[in-house]
Amino acid sequence: MKISLIGCGYVGLVTGSCLAELGNKVICVDNDSKKIARIKQGKIPIYEPGLEELILNNVKKKRLRFTSSIQEGVKYSEIIFIAVGTPPLENGEADLTGIENVARHIALNLSGYRLIVEKSTVPVETGEWVKKTISTYNKHKAEFDVASNPEFLREGSAIEDFMHPDRIVIGVESKRARDLLVNLYKPLNAPLVITNIRSAELIKHASNAFLATKISFINAIAYICDKVGADVEEVARGMGLDKRIGQSNLSAGVGYGGSCFPKDLDAFIAISERIGYNFDLLKAVRNINEEQKHFILKKVRDFLWVVKDKTIAVLGLSFKPDTDDIRNAPSIDIIKELLHEGVKIKAYDPQAMNKAKEVLDKAAFCKDPYEACKGADCLLVITEWNEFKELDFKKVKHLLKRPLIIDGRNIYEPKSMKEKGFTYVGIGRGRH
Ligand code: UDX
């Protein structure tokens, strides 16, 4: 099939290159011509495992190309995915300027039937607006359909998630649109959930809100575990083996971040408010998530007593492992607060340091975990990169001024750390 992806951000690039990999002819469009020029030179703007190879390989096989002309994209393809950003407005609602703009430009260039698919996370009813906008600017009265096909990709495993989805949600209003999308996704052999457009839009918001709720729930349990001397890792395992609960998203830690959960939750709370529902449950989820950062800062203060002029080695800056993304990363708020209190920060992250340098000018950035630990009063783990799990702890102990590990992601075993001679502090791992 001939497909175009409008918006070469995270979702657009991953979806476009994966659809090309499945054998489709794909054009990725972005109005940032500098970005397109860089991609054409093989410089991929985001770090995602496997993405660069996938893009280069499909460009070579002539299944994937890039352009800054939306006209070219619209003319070329039968299915047009809108994958532009929907950044948050001050009141938390999603800014739909990008979507409206793209819908208008699609309409102005429509000459024959096209299926226009919302891929970006959007409030329920956006499909309706896209349809109205296209109808209004559809000069040649070309036939079209609108559909919703939300993405559930996780950064760090986006390609795997695309190729092996738990389900594919398709919100459609015509048989033609339904057949096109069902055919497109046939090679993935995944369960299809076919609904109307509004339900599809809501599935995305409801899923992300529920996943965030699980994380805040376990973080609240972690707080209680610390107070009563239980271990949240054991509690989560005991809960998660119940199939009705499931193991996923029950890892306690410094809280969720990233470009989706915080933004989608704000948007969902704002949408609910607009239609007259006060979504208190989600407000609590959001508050607990904010509290997690204070929870870990309190642990730092409890152990270092006076933090001013102390040095802390911070391992992990990205909002989660296997990405260089620091959007809404808990690390940034935590480090900013520590710097504000007069702490010297020596940070290390395998991928996110360049991005972090732009927002943390007072922190020092190190070439590896050991350089970060040298002369530090405490080792603070904020992101659970695999390489932090297997450190040379003899060396770490020798390099630290005092053998204190505060583990914001529970990547170490308390017993083994104690045996190695560390004071170990996790999240919800019992009384200290
Ligand atoms: C999420 C959704 O999973 C995905 O379906 C959607 O399309 C986009 O948003 P992503 O933001 O890439 O994906 O990451 P995810 O792996 O879901 O993690 C989000 C945040 O939650 C991270 O900061 C992570 O560290 C945190 N998290 C996750 C926890 O703190 N505990 C957990 O148990 C799971």
Side-chain angles (χ1 to χ4, degrees):
M1 285 181 175
K2 287 182 175 171
I3 292 163
S4 60
L5 265 295
I6 317 285
C8 285
Y10 197 85
V11 174
L13 282 178
V14 172
T15 310
S17 53
C18 287
L19 286 172
E21 181 70 12
L22 293 181
N24 300 289
K25 294 262 190 190
V26 179
I27 300 195
C28 288
V29 184
D30 201 295
N31 61 5
D32 180 346
S33 48
K34 283 191 193 134
K35 189 184 206 176
I36 292 294
R38 281 196 302 270
I39 299 176
K40 281 183 173 170
Q41 291 165 5
K43 290 182 192 140
I44 312 307
I46 51 167
Y47 170 76
E48 175 66 28
L51 183 63
E52 192 171 316
E53 296 87 303
L54 201 65
I55 292 179
L56 298 180
N57 190 28
N58 280 288
V59 168
K60 210 163 115 195
K61 293 201 169 130
K62 302 209 179 318
R63 290 191 297 240
L64 179 62
R65 59 198 173 91
F66 295 89
T67 178
S68 51
S69 158
I70 193 164
Q71 187 181 25
E72 192 182 338
V74 175
K75 289 238 142 67
Y76 178 77
S77 36
E78 187 162 19
I79 307 181
I80 303 165
F81 284 94
I82 305 181
V84 294
T86 51
L89 292 167
E90 288 242 314
N91 65 359
E93 286 194 44
D95 181 353
L96 301 176
T97 315
I99 304 242
E100 194 270 346
N101 194 19
V102 168
R104 218 164 359 99
H105 280 89
I106 292 175
L108 293 171
N109 289 293
L110 271 191
S111 47
Y113 176 83
R114 296 290 180 270
L115 170 60
I116 296 108
V117 188
E118 300 168 346
K119 197 76 183 154
S120 314
T121 302
V122 290
V124 63
E125 290 183 351
T126 304
E128 208 53 50
W129 279 106
V130 168
K131 212 160 68 185
K132 274 189 211 154
T133 307
I134 297 179
S135 298
T136 311
Y137 292 90
N138 186 357
K139 276 193 304 208
H140 308 292
K141 301 278 169 257
E143 273 187 274
F144 71 95
D145 275 311
V146 170
S148 162
N149 169 223
E151 56 82 22
F152 298 97
L153 310 174
R154 288 165 301 173
E155 293 189 25
S157 56
I159 294 169
E160 176 69 17
D161 287 348
F162 184 95
M163 295 297 181
H164 305 282
D166 289 346
R167 80 310 202 181
I168 293 169
V169 175
I170 292 177
V172 279
E173 282 172 355
S174 79
K175 183 171 177 315
R176 190 170 186 178
R178 175 195 169 118
D179 290 349
L180 276 171
L181 287 174
V182 168
N183 272 337
L184 179 68
Y185 286 117
K186 207 179 229 158
L188 295 180
N189 216 2
L192 297 180
V193 181
I194 300 177
T195 67
N196 65 24
I197 295 179
R198 286 159 195 242
S199 299
E201 290 168 336
L202 208 53
I203 286 171
K204 169 71 191 209
H205 267 308
S207 302
N208 272 1
F210 189 76
L211 292 170
T213 303
K214 278 184 93 176
I215 300 172
S216 281
F217 185 88
I218 202 67
N219 281 334
I221 299 292
Y223 188 87
I224 293 172
C225 286
D226 266 348
K227 294 286 172 205
V228 302
D231 184 335
V232 73
E233 294 295 312
E234 290 171 356
V235 176
R237 189 172 138 70
M239 289 168 60
L241 283 172
D242 183 328
K243 288 198 190 68
R244 293 169 303 174
I245 298 174
Q247 311 248 20
S248 82
N249 282 56
L250 285 184
S251 300
V254 290
Y256 59 78
S259 65
C260 285
F261 285 174
K263 175 176 83 92
D264 288 358
L265 224 69
D266 283 349
F268 203 18
I269 291 169
I271 297 163
S272 309
E273 223 141 61
R274 190 149 48 80
I275 57 178
Y277 180 65
N278 179 7
F279 218 144
D280 267 338
L281 174 65
L282 295 187
K283 289 183 186 168
V285 167
R286 185 168 64 181
N287 289 345
I288 292 171
N289 198 55
E290 277 310 300
E291 265 315 299
Q292 283 314 103
K293 295 171 208 163
H294 302 291
F295 190 28
I296 193 121
L297 284 166
K298 183 171 180 308
K299 283 174 189 278
V300 172
R301 290 185 204 107
D302 282 352
F303 281 84
L304 292 181
W305 185 30
V306 173
V307 294
K308 190 166 182 293
D309 296 331
K310 295 269 167 54
T311 300
I312 297 184
V314 173
L315 295 190
L317 299 165
S318 53
F319 81 98
K320 67 176 208 178
D322 296 322
T323 173
D324 64 347
D325 197 340
I326 55 161
R327 284 175 291 175
N328 292 307
S331 65
I332 306 299
D333 288 343
I334 293 167
I335 292 175
K336 276 189 178 163
E337 179 57 30
L338 289 170
L339 287 168
H340 176 73
E341 292 179 29
V343 174
K344 194 170 162 232
I345 297 290
K346 293 177 78 187
Y348 170 73
D349 186 284
Q351 291 292 342
M353 289 204 283
N354 283 340
K355 287 193 174 156
K357 276 176 195 164
E358 288 168 21
V359 287
L360 296 170
D361 52 347
K362 292 201 184 81
F365 293 90
C366 302
K367 71 172 193 313
D368 62 28
Y370 303 106
E371 190 185 300
C373 288
K374 194 166 177 214
D377 299 272
C378 163
L379 166 57
L380 175 60
V381 178
I382 301 192
T383 317
E384 67 279 30
W385 284 90
N386 266 339
E387 68 170 86
F388 304 153
K389 294 179 183 163
E390 305 291 337
L391 295 176
D392 175 347
F393 285 104
K394 258 196 190 146
K395 195 167 162 186
V396 169
K397 195 164 163 231
H398 175 74
L399 289 169
L400 288 173
K401 249 191 248 168
R402 59 181 279 191
L404 170 62
I405 295 183
I406 300 185
D407 179 359
R409 294 288 183 175
N410 290 347
I411 61 174
Y412 305 125
E413 266 315 302
K415 190 161 165 273
S416 132
M417 285 299 129
K418 276 176 200 151
E419 279 164 13
K420 291 184 170 73
F422 289 97
T423 303
Y424 175 81
V425 188
I427 303 277
R429 319 262 356 225
R431 290 197 198 100
H432 309 295

